[in-house]
Amino acid sequence: KKSTFHKKFLKILLGISGASIAKNITLDRATAVVLSCRLDNKYSNLKSLQVTWKKGNETIGHNTTENSWSIQLRISDNSQLGSYSCTLKGEEEFSAVFHLQVPKIEGREKPIVTYGGDTAVMICKSLGYTPIAWTWYMTNGSKQIAINDTLLPDKYVITRISANVTRLKILKLTKEDDGVYCCEAAFELGKSQGKTTLKVLSLMAPLRPFLAVVAEVVILVTIIFIYERYSKKKEKYA
Amino acid sequence: SSAGERTEEEPEAGKRPGAGGWAWGVVFHFFLVNVLVMGMLKTFGIFFVAFQEDVGGSSEQVSWIGSIMSSLRFLGAPLVAVVCRRLGERPTSILGAALVGGGCLLSTQATTVPFLCVSMGLLLGMGFACLYQAAAVMTAKRCGTRLAFSNAVARSGMGLTFLMAPFTQLLIDFYGWQGTLLIFGGIMLNLVPSSMLLRPARARPPRGFLTAKEDSGTLGGCLDESTRGETQLPSAQDPPSTERLASHGGDVSDPVNPLERVEKCPVASPEIATEGKRSCKPLPPSGKENSQPLLDFSPLKDPVFCIFTWSFLFSHLAYFVPTFHLVARARTLGISSMDASYLISVAGITETVSQLLSGWVADQNWTKKYHYHMAYLVLGGVTNLLCPLATTFPLLMTYAVAFAVFCGGFMALVLPVLV
């Protein structure tokens, strides 16, 4: 089956010597991309400019037109994504970088705080682009273990709430569930991950400060009570 | 004890020595009540966000919790006044502290918004009402000539609430909202020993007696009858539709000089609300005090008073709304929750300072007090209208500060304008 190619045209205007300009481009499906670097008109008098296009650190070929240099790319798999840079060398040097990436996944920066026995709900959103599939991983040390909700249906529940949103529910939390969870979205051009941190506290954690405060209250009450009794007695005999 | 207090204590010859010092205990308790109660109310905005994320429910549903909590503080006042009369202030206060502590603890088990409405809204609201009423009444009873000053000191507790906002956010980050509520329950239980400082007056209260008027910041709200002779304040702030606070009966009316008409005001702070403002009811001379009606609608016959009450009603409808939703708005705009809690702190400090300044400025009598009142209201309204323009942290901070300035100024002038 022939995949239909989308088309994108991206240009960067160069005019600042030395400073490197970068542009981020998000691609989720096979696309025909044209990247071009154009030199600002105020530099049109510069002669003998040599342009180099690089993917990462390797040089690739390019097309030349007056004052603008471009490359055409057909991005159809993950290996073709990356950073493409154009460098114009002459009396002054200009450079720009295009970062071709898969869409970013939004997780949660703040950790979710839950207690043992509770249920935790984690949501991942893909902004603007619909992934083909979602997978959830739990990070154990440096390894990522996929979460299989069919294997343990009364522990994990994975639902796809809408095309761009996935939800992982973890029931009956224990200390071992503490850690970093990754939701991975699979796109045509690759995979992208979002992270959520889960903190599982035992009930003792907030209980300690609570008991400390209650103890202080009890002590104060006792002191006041005793003082009142004492002063009542004093009055009786006074 | 001060000279003012000594005049009160003359009839109380049998009182234990050092009892005058207990007046400061009462002030301290009231101060603590202000800190914790107002702190809880103002930091509700932080809980609001946590509840929305965890328990779910739309903004309207979650904000009901806060609404019930803050409105019951005053709506519950008539009921609390009756309880106070039966049990006395100290047991009422301890009951209030227990309700608040219990409500907080119960809320940790909540999983739905209606549950929270009852456990956090109802229980905490009624608890706050008990605490506040009892504390304010005791302050009025105990402080004599120094009432204005004690009132001001106690009120300054509101200013400390600025510390509670980042503290709450910190606790939520560490322990989640359940753990935070648990710890808060414990902290609120501290009000039990401080309630025990509300020792009932053993002997007779003074003949000339105080009309304790509470307000949220004005300093000289109360008059001491022993220095002024007969006073009759026409002020009662009453809800146009419902009942008045019951007069605080019992032990106070006996030694009343039959020639003086004494007014006694049960306490309620006119800070929020639709209802439950202070009412001063003229008491008939001593023989008749047991036959006072529980509810007295006479001030409602005064048209100016009615207008004022309506204005008060509407302005207070809006007073707490920004504070509740400020944090949520900040979060929607992408501001971190710690920074959002600083917004509340800054607003709190600004409001306190603005109350004091506004009271001082109004006392200078450069122009009629109600001009200031109107100006603050109008400016406050304009600030709110411009609020949607605040989309970054500095702008939101500016809005919070401006609103706090106008609110504080307005609050301080409520009582002077009324009187």
Side-chain angles (χ1 to χ4, degrees), chain B residues 312-393:
Chain B
F312 210 61
L313 171 81
F314 283 116
S315 58
H316 275 107
L317 276 176
Y319 173 69
F320 261 99
V321 170
T323 341
F324 273 6
H325 293 274
L326 201 59
V327 180
R329 172 107 177 109
R331 287 285 290 266
T332 335
L333 292 174
I335 300 171
S336 84
S337 9
M338 232 11 191
D339 289 340
S341 66
Y342 290 140
L343 277 177
I344 299 188
S345 310
V346 169
I349 309 174
T350 322
E351 193 172 327
T352 314
V353 170
S354 154
Q355 276 184 7
L356 296 173
L357 271 180
S358 155
W360 179 84
V361 165
D363 277 342
Q364 301 306 306
N365 272 321
W366 292 326
T367 160
K368 284 235 167 87
K369 293 202 171 90
Y370 58 79
H371 289 153
Y372 288 118
H373 191 85
M374 277 192 315
Y376 286 129
L377 279 178
V378 168
L379 288 171
V382 167
T383 318
N384 266 327
L385 281 178
L386 294 176
C387 159
L389 294 176
T391 44
T392 63
F393 185 65

Side-chain angles (χ1 to χ4, degrees), chain B residues 166-196:
Chain B
F167 175 65
T168 314
Q169 188 57 54
L170 200 71
L171 281 183
I172 292 192
D173 283 344
F174 256 116
Y175 295 116
W177 63 268
Q178 291 124 321
T180 313
L181 275 178
L182 186 67
I183 297 179
F184 268 30
I187 294 179
M188 295 294 180
L189 279 181
N190 268 309
L191 288 170
V192 170
S194 82
S195 308
M196 293 181 75

Side-chain angles (χ1 to χ4, degrees), chain A residues 68-79:
Chain A
S68 127
W69 296 267
S70 60
I71 48 171
Q72 274 175 356
L73 302 163
R74 300 202 91 177
I75 313 285
S76 55
D77 73 69
N78 197 27
S79 57

Side-chain angles (χ1 to χ4, degrees), chain B residues 109-137:
Chain B
Q109 303 302 312
T111 43
T112 59
V113 176
F115 187 107
L116 274 173
C117 277
V118 169
S119 74
M120 204 160 163
L122 190 79
L123 290 180
L124 254 67
M126 286 308 289
F128 289 158
C130 293
L131 283 169
Y132 218 89
Q133 283 263 62
V137 168

Side-chain angles (χ1 to χ4, degrees), chain A residues 95-168:
Chain A
S95 77
V97 177
F98 294 89
H99 296 291
L100 271 59
Q101 311 160 323
V102 281
K104 288 229 168 28
I105 303 295
E106 188 188 293
R108 222 185 114 113
E109 333 87 44
K110 269 195 156 185
I112 301 180
V113 179
T114 48
Y115 291 88
D118 271 356
T119 309
V121 171
M122 285 180 267
I123 295 191
C124 267
K125 275 189 219 159
S126 155
L127 304 161
Y129 301 91
T130 307
I132 305 170
W134 287 99
T135 327
W136 281 92
Y137 292 94
M138 178 172 168
T139 311
N140 193 352
S142 54
K143 288 184 301 191
Q144 289 198 334
I145 308 166
I147 296 178
N148 192 340
D149 57 336
T150 43
L151 202 62
L152 300 156
D154 44 341
K155 176 79 176 168
Y156 300 107
V157 177
I158 301 179
T159 26
R160 190 162 179 168
I161 303 177
S162 67
N164 290 0
V165 182
T166 182
R167 182 180 73 189
L168 170 67

Side-chain angles (χ1 to χ4, degrees), chain B residues 128-249:
Chain B
F128 289 158
C130 293
L131 283 169
Y132 218 89
Q133 283 263 62
V137 168
M138 271 314 254
T139 318
K141 275 192 190 171
R142 285 305 204 113
C143 290
T145 40
R146 300 268 216 94
L147 184 61
F149 179 61
S150 330
N151 199 27
V153 167
R155 284 279 168 195
S156 63
M158 273 176 60
L160 275 192
T161 59
F162 79 89
L163 280 177
M164 288 202 57
F167 175 65
T168 314
Q169 188 57 54
L170 200 71
L171 281 183
I172 292 192
D173 283 344
F174 256 116
Y175 295 116
W177 63 268
Q178 291 124 321
T180 313
L181 275 178
L182 186 67
I183 297 179
F184 268 30
I187 294 179
M188 295 294 180
L189 279 181
N190 268 309
L191 288 170
V192 170
S194 82
S195 308
M196 293 181 75
L197 293 173
L198 297 179
R199 313 175 96 214
R202 290 269 228 79
R204 288 314 160 185
R207 322 163 356 173
F209 126 89
L210 325 159
T211 13
K213 256 206 190 203
E214 274 249 303
D215 81 69
S216 16
T218 330
L219 312 184
C222 284
L223 312 170
D224 185 357
E225 290 241 41
S226 58
T227 51
R228 290 240 206 144
E230 177 172 353
T231 354
Q232 197 161 25
L233 288 172
S235 41
Q237 300 151 5
D238 235 20
S241 48
T242 50
E243 65 270 19
R244 278 248 224 152
L245 299 171
S247 165
H248 207 85

